[in-house]
Amino acid sequence: MRRQIASLHYLTQDLPGFTHTVQVRMACEAGVSWVQLRMKNTERDEWLQVAREVRAITRAYGATLIINDDAAIAKEAGADGVHLGQTDMHWSDAVKMLGEKAIIGVSAHSWDELWKLKDAKVHYAGLGPFRFTSTKDKLDAVLGLAGIRDIMRMMQQHAFFLPVIAIGGIEQADVKPLMETGIAGIAVSGAINKSVHPQEAARQFLAELINTFSENEMRNI
């Protein structure tokens, strides 16, 4: 299933004094075009209310909105799609609920989990964790650069062409080496949200990705 997947996936997170709505507006003002609303341990009514608020913001900026974990929230809020973990709703049920046009992303933590998606009607896989991150409560085995590189080589060997988004503790200095593995992009949360200047951090990630793509194009000429 071919669909344009942004190279920077911005993820919101639960932070005191920095609401999800403010986070999304900050990211959109910085030029981010792909937002994932990631709310944990939140009552459903509050989650839906926030989802509708950020849907209005992303629509105004022409940005894609993905809801983490819950396809029903995504449908009610009018989001563009959902990102599902290994223990969430099966991707096929999400397609039935949201329709063929909805964006479906699925988390994978190993080659085996990624390979199970080879015939799936999903648009991308979130692969990680790249390194330790406090954003996730139950962390899977850290893959590191070598682990992600090995998995990308396996994908190439098996002619498996699904966009892969690396996730988990990614910093700006990781952008170039990660993109050189062949991944389609990166998902970033803490390195932006916990920065002294979040909006500037978001812009720096975008600039680093643009520079990396430019360098890759020069090497291909």
Side-chain angles (χ1 to χ4, degrees):
M1 300 176 68
R2 295 185 177 182
R3 186 158 181 167
Q4 187 65 37
I5 304 298
S7 58
L8 177 61
H9 289 208
Y10 168 72
L11 277 58
T12 69
Q13 63 188 119
D14 299 324
L15 290 172
F18 194 16
T19 68
H20 292 269
T21 303
V22 173
Q23 289 174 43
V24 170
R25 186 175 297 280
M26 172 278 299
C28 287
E29 289 178 351
V32 171
S33 64
W34 189 290
V35 172
Q36 183 183 137
L37 179 63
R38 190 172 187 274
M39 299 179 70
K40 298 294 183 180
N41 305 314
T42 304
E43 292 294 330
R44 192 179 190 283
D45 288 347
E46 180 183 353
W47 189 357
L48 180 57
Q49 179 182 344
V50 173
R52 285 172 170 160
E53 290 174 359
V54 301
R55 170 72 286 189
I57 295 170
T58 54
R59 185 176 285 119
Y61 283 88
T64 296
L65 175 63
I66 303 296
I67 302 298
N68 182 261
D69 292 346
D70 197 311
I73 292 285
K75 182 176 183 178
E76 292 181 52
D80 296 292
V82 66
H83 183 91
L84 303 168
Q86 287 289 314
T87 59
D88 295 326
M89 173 187 288
H90 192 268
W91 64 264
S92 60
D93 293 323
V95 172
K96 291 176 184 177
M97 178 179 290
L98 300 177
E100 295 284 344
K101 293 183 179 180
I103 299 170
I104 309 294
V106 178
S107 293
H109 312 103
S110 65
W111 165 248
D112 288 341
E113 289 183 356
L114 195 59
W115 182 242
K116 290 178 181 178
L117 298 173
K118 64 183 179 67
D119 296 317
K121 293 182 178 180
V122 300
H123 297 87
Y124 72 93
L127 180 63
F130 169 65
R131 67 160 57 90
F132 175 81
T133 173
S134 59
T135 304
K136 192 175 174 81
D137 293 333
K138 297 180 180 179
L139 197 67
D140 293 275
V142 171
L143 294 173
L145 185 63
I148 290 179
R149 184 186 294 116
D150 288 345
I151 290 173
M152 295 308 297
R153 285 174 179 167
M154 291 288 286
M155 290 187 73
Q156 186 174 22
Q157 290 170 10
H158 288 77
F160 179 22
F161 305 111
L162 177 69
V164 169
I165 304 298
I167 186 170
I170 296 173
E171 302 288 343
Q172 188 179 337
D174 301 316
V175 173
K176 183 177 180 180
L178 274 171
M179 296 304 294
E180 288 176 343
T181 68
I183 60 172
I186 56 174
V188 181
S189 183
I192 293 175
N193 296 325
K194 295 181 180 180
S195 169
V196 177
H197 300 292
Q199 194 167 90
E200 180 58 28
R203 291 194 180 105
Q204 289 174 0
F205 269 100
L206 288 168
E208 189 66 31
L209 282 163
I210 291 171
N211 291 337
T212 300
F213 282 129
S214 298
E215 291 177 11
N216 287 339
E217 288 170 3
M218 290 175 64
R219 283 198 294 269
N220 290 334
I221 293 174

